[in-house]
Amino acid sequence: RDLLKKRILYGMIDKEINQRQLSQCVGLAPMTISKIMNGNNTTYDTAKKIANVLDIDVFELIDKEES
């Protein structure tokens, strides 16, 4: 879960966007992004949307040990 948070954070830094901007681009509430970053599970589709906004491969957001 920490890996997911780090990868999202690094992606946001690279894109120079904050959590609110990410949530707007993905089409989710800021609280949902916060929950995902704090360890709540997410769907593949949501992870894919986040990955697309951050221009990273969705599998970089998925912890292979949890799959």
Side-chain angles (χ1 to χ4, degrees), residues 2 4-6 9-10 13-14 17 21 25 29 31 36 40-41 43 46 54 56-59 67:
D2 286 337
L4 173 70
K5 182 175 183 173
K6 286 179 185 177
L9 282 173
Y10 290 143
I13 290 167
D14 187 51
I17 60 173
Q21 291 167 319
C25 291
M31 182 58 74
I36 292 168
N40 283 22
N41 289 332
T43 64
T46 299
L54 300 178
I56 58 176
D57 190 306
V58 66
F59 295 106
S67 321

Side-chain angles (χ1 to χ4, degrees), residues 50-64:
I50 293 170
N52 285 341
V53 169
L54 300 178
D55 288 330
I56 58 176
D57 190 306
V58 66
F59 295 106
E60 290 184 39
L61 296 180
I62 298 172
D63 187 350
K64 291 164 186 62

Side-chain angles (χ1 to χ4, degrees), residues 3-58:
L3 185 60
L4 173 70
K5 182 175 183 173
K6 286 179 185 177
R7 288 180 175 160
I8 292 174
L9 282 173
Y10 290 143
M12 290 182 348
I13 290 167
D14 187 51
K15 287 292 186 181
E16 298 181 351
I17 60 173
N18 61 36
Q19 198 168 312
R20 181 172 296 281
Q21 291 167 319
L22 175 62
S23 71
Q24 290 171 342
C25 291
V26 175
L28 297 172
M31 182 58 74
T32 303
I33 298 292
S34 179
K35 287 179 180 180
I36 292 168
M37 292 182 68
N38 286 311
N40 283 22
N41 289 332
T42 189
T43 64
Y44 175 82
D45 289 337
T46 299
K48 179 84 172 147
K49 289 177 186 177
I50 293 170
N52 285 341
V53 169
L54 300 178
D55 288 330
I56 58 176
D57 190 306
V58 66

